[in-house]
């Protein structure tokens, strides 16, 4: 098949971009190195859109949460990632979590069956000299292609560490010490009867011993080229959080507020008192056989992980389907290198999309892939590209990446209301709702404009 756009990278962003282009009648060549002689330190399969860290797309609340709003906007734009996510959805309270294998298989099925998409398992080692191209190689770009990007941009790569949380077999968890509940009892329609998280409570003594264990545990050694690479706060290793203070974890992933321990009741707390600290596990697959340890990404060595995590009440006999790990992520200085349409200023036939641009998160990566596909389709059609309003989640994220962020201190960023134009006249208690209401109205007008242009 003769292609009109070459997409390099079959992750979330590349898959979404391919779908958006194909749906608009554009012939796409989608190159993925896994299965074609290439691999990464974090991927375990050759499937498209493999989720290598958490299985969560985070909050699905489109009324008060920025990432939930981004979900809403992507659904309105016929997002493949959102469609596949619904088919692979597993209970996760007010969040959206998926069975990672079902999700990847669904994305690959849709693209494999699409007449406008050709999936090629090949390792691309250099940026093409010509032809419309979208580079969506993600944070684990192969060394040869990364060198080609450096040569094309004239900039050194930026990098940070991302971390992977362990996954536990459900039948190895001692439920006589744990209970199922969502924090503050918030659940979705797909929730389990009692909630969506398994909660392992800790007393103060148990917590302090665990905290000390994190400090003392043997960690993996960094390679020379990793030594000065900073962490991204959204994926901070559990032991690094512990180093920041004894209370840090209790105000982070191990906070006990909103969780009623049924094994610790009295007259004052007949439903159960909040534990001093808690470890939460979230369902990782549709069968409910695998659960991941929320916020427990780590650089500890495997043996140290097993030994320490089995001191957690309820996990004394835990069997791990996957232990935690870490890998280096790379991204370009997008505000300096890309124009407002994600094109490389020095080579405008090349667009970048996904986490390689410096956005952070599954949904954000997919969203940038989505708009990159729309932009390329508009360019091929000879129509002027009208960007999504900056008041929308898509527009705010895109603006941040392509020029609004400070290039000299550019770091990976999740979508958040701090990227939106401010609403000073609205009381702070209603500000989140006001942001989402404005965004939905403005996005609706933008979609109407796009439909008029296409007609």
């Amino acid at each position: 098949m003769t292609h009109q756009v070459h997409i390099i990278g079959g992750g979330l962003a590349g898959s979404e971009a391919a779908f958006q282009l194909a749906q608009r009648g554009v012939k796409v060549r989608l190159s993925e190195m896994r299965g074609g002689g290439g691999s990464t330190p974090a991927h375990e399969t050759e499937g498209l859109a493999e989720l290598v860290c958490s299985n969560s797309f985070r909050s699905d609340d489109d009324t008060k949460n920025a990432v939930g709003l981004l979900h809403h906007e992507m659904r309105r734009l016929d997002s493949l990632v959102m469609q596949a996510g619904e088919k692979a959805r597993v209970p996760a309270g007010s969040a959206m979590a998926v069975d990672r294998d079902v999700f990847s298989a669904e994305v690959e099925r849709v693209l494999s069956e699409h007449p406008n998409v050709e999936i090629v398992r090949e390792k691309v080692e250099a940026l093409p000299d010509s032809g419309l191209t979208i580079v969506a190689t993600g944070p684990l770009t192969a060394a040869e292609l990364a060198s080609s990007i450096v040569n094309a941009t004239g900039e050194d790569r930026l990098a940070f560490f991302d971390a992977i949380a362990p996954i536990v077999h459900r039948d190895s968890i001692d439920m006589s010490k744990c209970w199922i509940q969502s924090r503050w009892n918030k659940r979705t329609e797909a929730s389990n009867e009692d909630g969506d998280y398994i909660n392992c409570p800790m007393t103060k003594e148990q917590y302090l011993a665990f905290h000390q264990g994190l400090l003392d545990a043997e960690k993996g050694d960094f390679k020379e080229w990793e030594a000065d690479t900073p962490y991204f706060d959204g994926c901070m290793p559990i032991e690094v959080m512990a180093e920041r203070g004894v209370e840090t974890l209790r105000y982070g992933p191990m906070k006990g507020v909103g969780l009623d321990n049924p094994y610790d009741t009295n007259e004052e707390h007949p439903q159960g008192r909040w534990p001093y600290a808690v470890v939460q596990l979230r369902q990782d697959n549709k069968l409910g056989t695998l659960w991941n340890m929320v916020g427990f990404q780590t650089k500890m060595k495997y043996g140290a992980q097993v030994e320490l995590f089995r001191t957690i009440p309820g996990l004394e006999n835990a069997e791990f389907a996957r232990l935690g790990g870490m890998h280096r992520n790379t991204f370009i200085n997008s505000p300096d290198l890309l124009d407002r349409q994600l094109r490389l200023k020095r080579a405008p036939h090349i667009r970048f999309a996904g986490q390689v641009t410096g956005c952070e998160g599954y949904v954000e990566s997919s969203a940038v892939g989505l708009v990159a596909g729309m932009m390329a389709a508009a360019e091929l059609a000879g129509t002027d590209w009208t960007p999504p309003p900056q008041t929308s989640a898509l527009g705010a994220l895109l603006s941040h990446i392509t020029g609004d962020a400070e290039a000299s201190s550019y770091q990976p960023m999740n979508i958040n209301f701090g990227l939106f134009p401010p609403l000073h006249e609205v009381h702070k208690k209603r500000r989140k709702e006001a942001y989402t209401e404005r965004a939905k109205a403005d996005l609706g007008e933008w979609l109407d404009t796009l439909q008029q242009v296409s007609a």
Side-chain angles (χ1 to χ4, degrees):
M1 180 175 70
T2 302
H3 64 270
Q4 297 164 279
V5 177
H6 185 193
I7 299 178
I8 306 174
L12 290 158
S15 296
E16 185 68 69
F19 181 73
Q20 295 297 323
L21 283 160
Q23 289 291 87
R24 290 165 173 79
V26 178
K27 301 293 185 183
V28 177
R29 180 186 183 94
L30 178 59
S31 297
E32 169 54 49
M33 72 175 182
R34 288 173 296 120
S39 63
T40 77
H43 287 86
E44 296 182 354
T45 76
E46 297 177 358
L48 299 183
E50 179 186 343
L51 306 181
V52 300
C53 189
S54 166
N55 70 323
S56 176
F57 289 170
R58 313 197 318 279
S59 175
D60 204 32
D61 179 2
D62 63 0
T63 64
K64 297 180 181 179
N65 189 284
V67 73
L69 176 63
L70 190 55
H71 290 181
H72 167 83
E73 295 178 3
M74 291 173 66
R75 289 182 178 119
R76 294 203 63 183
L77 289 166
D78 193 30
S79 162
L80 171 61
V81 165
M82 286 292 108
Q83 292 174 30
E86 288 299 331
K87 290 195 174 182
R89 192 162 187 156
V90 297
S94 59
M96 181 180 185
V98 302
D99 180 312
R100 64 184 75 227
D101 294 328
V102 174
F103 173 77
S104 174
E106 177 62 14
V107 170
E108 185 152 344
R109 181 194 68 78
V110 171
L111 293 178
S112 298
E113 295 176 359
H114 204 295
N116 291 330
V117 178
E118 178 186 18
I119 301 171
V120 183
R121 300 291 180 165
E122 61 180 354
K123 188 175 182 180
V124 178
E125 297 186 346
L127 294 174
D129 293 327
S130 62
L132 286 185
T133 303
I134 297 176
V135 178
T137 48
L140 300 172
T141 302
E144 298 87 352
L145 183 58
S147 295
S148 178
I149 293 171
V150 170
N151 292 334
T153 60
E155 297 280 342
D156 291 336
R157 287 173 294 160
L158 301 177
F160 64 98
F161 279 115
D162 199 4
I164 299 172
I167 294 177
V168 180
H169 287 282
R170 170 66 170 79
D171 59 9
S172 70
I173 301 172
D174 184 354
M175 294 304 296
S176 70
K177 299 179 179 179
C178 310
W179 76 99
I180 295 178
Q181 182 191 359
S182 295
R183 196 180 305 278
W184 305 112
N185 294 314
K186 291 183 178 180
R187 301 193 296 273
T188 62
E189 293 181 2
S191 295
N192 295 312
E193 182 178 350
D194 298 313
D196 297 333
Y197 294 84
I198 292 176
N199 300 282
C200 304
M202 283 186 176
T203 64
K204 180 177 181 179
E205 293 73 19
Q206 290 169 329
Y207 172 78
L208 292 176
F210 182 79
H211 179 269
Q212 189 61 47
L214 289 171
L215 299 180
D216 296 340
E218 189 177 8
K219 282 79 172 180
D221 295 328
F222 291 110
K223 297 179 181 178
E224 183 178 350
W225 51 266
E226 297 176 321
D228 297 322
T229 307
Y231 294 108
F232 170 56
D233 282 343
C235 283
M236 185 70 64
I238 190 81
E239 63 272 13
V240 175
M241 283 188 275
E243 291 170 358
R244 293 187 171 186
V246 70
E247 292 292 292
T248 301
L249 294 171
R250 291 188 61 238
Y251 289 92
M254 295 182 69
K255 60 180 178 287
V257 296
L259 297 167
D260 306 315
N261 184 355
Y263 304 114
D264 187 13
T265 62
N266 56 32
E267 291 184 3
E268 183 181 357
H269 303 282
Q271 302 300 317
R273 292 189 296 178
W274 294 349
Y276 187 81
V278 69
V279 175
Q280 286 196 305
L281 294 95
R282 178 179 55 229
Q283 188 173 328
D284 199 79
N285 64 347
K286 274 189 173 295
L287 293 176
T289 57
L290 299 175
W291 291 66
N292 65 64
M293 299 175 67
V294 178
F296 265 61
Q297 49 273 357
T298 179
K299 183 66 173 175
M300 290 189 293
K301 289 192 173 182
Y302 286 172
Q305 290 183 48
V306 173
E307 181 179 358
L308 183 60
F309 294 160
R310 284 182 176 167
T311 68
I312 297 170
L315 301 186
E316 292 90 346
N317 298 304
E319 296 296 332
F320 296 90
R322 183 187 71 188
L323 287 164
M326 293 197 62
H327 52 273
R328 175 177 173 168
N329 283 353
T330 57
F331 61 98
I332 62 173
N333 196 335
S334 295
D336 190 41
L337 300 175
L338 304 182
D339 70 10
R340 291 292 185 175
Q341 290 197 40
L342 296 168
R343 294 176 296 207
L344 191 59
K345 293 175 182 177
R346 297 189 181 189
H349 65 287
I350 296 174
R351 281 184 170 84
F352 282 82
Q355 284 187 262
V356 72
T357 66
C359 66
E360 173 60 23
Y362 294 145
V363 181
E364 291 87 341
S365 177
S366 306
V368 177
L370 188 155
V371 293
M374 294 180 66
M375 291 169 176
E379 184 173 342
L380 282 168
T383 59
D384 292 333
W385 166 252
T386 302
Q390 192 175 354
T391 52
S392 67
L394 280 167
L397 183 63
L398 186 63
S399 295
H400 176 77
I401 291 169
T402 59
D404 289 357
E406 179 59 49
S408 61
S409 58
Y410 187 56
Q411 284 291 315
M413 180 69 71
N414 293 120
I415 185 65
N416 63 84
F417 288 124
L419 302 182
F420 291 59
L423 284 167
H424 297 300
E425 70 278 7
V426 178
H427 192 281
K428 64 180 181 180
K429 289 186 177 180
R430 245 205 111 252
R431 198 160 291 163
K432 292 180 180 179
E433 293 96 324
Y435 277 125
T436 58
E437 289 167 4
R438 180 183 65 178
K440 290 176 182 178
D442 291 352
L443 187 81
E445 293 181 6
W446 178 68
L447 290 173
D448 290 341
T449 301
L450 290 184
Q451 291 173 357
Q452 293 170 8
V453 171
S454 62

